[in-house]
Amino acid sequence: MSITRRDWIRQSLLASATMLVAGPHVAQGCASERPDEILGKDDFILLNWNENPYGPSEVAKQAVGDAMKYANRYPDEKINELKEKLAKKNGLKPANFLLTAGSTEVLSLLGQHVGLQRGEVLTPFPTFPTALRFGERAGATIKKVELDANDRIDLDQTLGAISDKTTMVFICNPNNPTGTELETEDLKAFCRKVPENVLICVDEAYVEYSNAGMKGSMVDLVNELPNLVICRTFSKAYGLAGLRMGYAISNVRNIQALRDRHLGAEISTGWPPLVAASASLDDPEFINTCVAKNAEGKQIVYDAYDRWGVKYNPSSTNFVYARDDRFEKDLVAKMRAKGILITKWPTMTDHFRVSIGKPEHMRMYVKTVEEFLV
Ligand SMILES: Cc1ncc(COP(=O)(O)O)c(C=O)c1O
């Protein structure tokens, strides 16, 4: 495992200074997408950040309310409790988990780890950029592997691109922004072939929505592969994006190394996110309902795109990635002027992405975006 202590503190201060100037949402390239003044106003439909329109679950809300009376106490017991629960659910030990304020913290730690040793992140691209951006700012080189003709991650090409310069391979599965999913066994075989001195980060932010479901997780490999780090989040299917709760899963040594470098010393989370996450884990019915409702919302988009001849990827997530050539230019700005926020990162040259809201939001989306067909 190549997470080392070398110069971490001195260099991470430099990297943190960069982030103080830039801010995390700027790091994702989306600072201008959603200014404060529109949040909470019913006349905007927020389909740009892949949030769960149904969350949090009722049991999570109840747990947060109940937790307020303990807000004067540090949350260590709740950290341990959530780790115990995650460990049981995933067939691992509590020491295999690091709890963070959203998985962004895990991605930034890993990116910085590579950057501070002037290493290289190898990644299929386009993909979720946080680890790459944090890495680059701290000194990493980013090596990108093109997706195949169907916007799928090409594991053979990725494996072939590993060199003695590669420090970490980043795989987002299902992938954001393309929405595509790898076959579980293919990804497992890939992970087993990556040399042990190269870290593998598998970002499973959308695994709950995938066709494989939790069986699509690489968690079974954690005890087998010393170089595997999985990151997961409660921000998506669990609907807790605003509470900030994510985690890393890896072998005990890696978790210890990540914890040593975590600026929040693993207490960047608090009672409300911890108890909300814990309660949500006991409410699988909520996840099932959200996943089913998400499929209903996706179908509304698919049906419209099929009618109009818009090329899109069947999505294993809560968003749909489509080509923009059937629409007028500046679609994002035009939709925004109509009160509907969608996404186009600069790297999505000829595509755009819409998050799946409630069915009524998606019907409104379809009705509105139809106005901009060419
Ligand atoms: C693939 C992926 N990973 C990680 C994140 C970060 O999520 P959070 O920090 O809310 O856990 C996101 C957010 O959109 C994402 O799409």
Side-chain angles (χ1 to χ4, degrees):
M1 172 60 203
S2 51
I3 298 180
T4 65
R5 286 176 177 275
R6 191 166 49 98
D7 277 345
W8 179 275
I9 292 177
R10 185 177 60 81
Q11 299 193 56
S12 66
L13 283 174
L14 285 174
S16 305
T18 315
M19 289 315 300
L20 278 177
V21 176
H25 272 108
V26 175
Q28 287 174 27
C30 52
S32 61
E33 278 182 35
R34 205 164 76 181
D36 293 346
E37 75 268 13
I38 65 172
L39 251 193
K41 288 198 180 150
D42 288 343
D43 43 355
F44 272 93
I45 299 179
L46 308 178
L47 305 178
N48 60 339
W49 283 355
N50 304 340
E51 293 150 333
N52 181 345
Y54 306 102
S57 84
E58 289 308 316
V59 292
K61 286 184 204 166
Q62 180 70 43
V64 169
D66 294 347
M68 285 316 290
K69 62 176 176 287
Y70 303 110
N72 57 326
R73 303 290 172 197
Y74 285 106
D76 300 55
E77 290 87 352
K78 292 290 151 190
I79 290 175
N80 294 337
E81 210 174 289
L82 180 55
K83 283 193 199 177
E84 297 268 355
K85 211 175 252 187
L86 287 168
K88 226 178 237 164
K89 238 179 139 50
N90 290 283
L92 291 166
K93 297 200 173 73
N96 291 117
F97 295 82
L98 175 79
L99 303 187
T100 52
S103 56
T104 294
E105 285 197 339
V106 181
L107 296 171
S108 61
L109 275 171
L110 290 169
Q112 284 187 357
H113 163 69
V114 178
L116 297 179
Q117 54 187 291
R118 300 285 180 266
E120 181 184 275
V121 182
L122 174 69
T123 183
F125 197 84
T127 193
F128 191 65
T130 296
L132 318 181
R133 292 229 169 89
F134 274 85
E136 218 165 14
R137 291 211 170 110
T141 305
I142 312 298
K143 186 169 166 188
K144 297 171 181 169
V145 178
E146 275 186 29
L147 305 180
D148 73 13
N150 296 315
D151 293 325
R152 299 177 70 88
I153 289 174
D154 188 329
L155 288 176
D156 290 338
Q157 291 285 348
T158 309
L159 199 61
I162 294 176
S163 72
D164 55 6
K165 293 204 181 106
T166 315
T167 316
M168 179 172 86
V169 185
F170 176 73
I171 304 279
C172 184
N173 186 52
N175 190 35
N176 182 6
T178 57
T180 54
E181 171 183 355
L182 289 160
E183 291 296 329
T184 309
E185 289 312 313
D186 292 350
L187 182 54
K188 281 188 178 168
F190 168 87
C191 289
R192 288 188 169 112
K193 284 183 205 151
V194 173
E196 255 189 36
N197 64 334
V198 174
L199 269 177
I200 312 164
C201 170
V202 180
D203 183 341
E204 298 185 348
Y206 299 97
V207 68
E208 292 87 357
Y209 290 109
S210 68
N211 299 329
M214 296 313 290
K215 291 201 174 81
S217 173
M218 292 298 109
V219 74
D220 294 350
L221 299 185
V222 165
N223 281 330
E224 180 186 331
L225 302 181
N227 50 341
L228 175 65
V229 182
I230 295 170
C231 44
R232 291 212 196 128
T233 182
F234 284 92
S235 295
K236 306 300 177 183
Y238 287 94
L240 299 177
L243 281 178
R244 312 304 300 130
M245 194 67 233
Y247 57 102
I249 316 177
S250 191
N251 69 39
V252 177
R253 229 177 119 214
N254 293 342
I255 291 295
Q256 190 57 53
L258 288 169
R259 185 184 300 117
D260 286 350
R261 290 148 183 75
H262 183 222
L263 289 177
E266 214 188 7
I267 45 168
S268 59
T269 56
W271 277 85
L274 287 161
V275 296
S278 191
S280 302
L281 287 175
D282 293 333
D283 188 10
E285 211 33 61
F286 173 75
I287 299 296
N288 295 341
T289 306
C290 292
V291 170
K293 285 296 224 181
N294 179 62
E296 192 183 330
K298 274 195 290 198
Q299 196 57 52
I300 293 169
V301 178
Y302 294 165
D303 289 347
Y305 286 178
D306 285 339
R307 269 198 316 276
W308 304 331
V310 172
K311 196 163 174 277
Y312 64 92
N313 299 328
S315 169
S316 296
T317 62
N318 63 345
F319 54 85
V320 178
Y321 184 68
R323 284 190 69 95
D324 62 6
D325 52 358
R326 289 282 291 109
F327 297 96
E328 292 176 18
K329 291 228 172 332
D330 302 323
L331 182 65
V332 173
K334 285 175 178 162
M335 290 294 284
R336 185 192 179 90
K338 298 273 183 182
I340 299 180
L341 304 191
I342 59 173
T343 294
K344 186 174 176 69
W345 297 337
T347 48
M348 297 182 199
T349 43
D350 45 12
H351 288 77
F352 69 103
R353 191 190 73 187
V354 61
S355 308
I356 302 302
K358 293 182 177 173
E360 60 266 34
H361 298 147
M362 302 327 290
R363 280 190 279 274
M364 184 66 86
Y365 163 74
V366 164
K367 195 164 159 237
T368 308
V369 82
E370 188 172 17
E371 295 175 31
F372 301 113
L373 279 172
V374 288

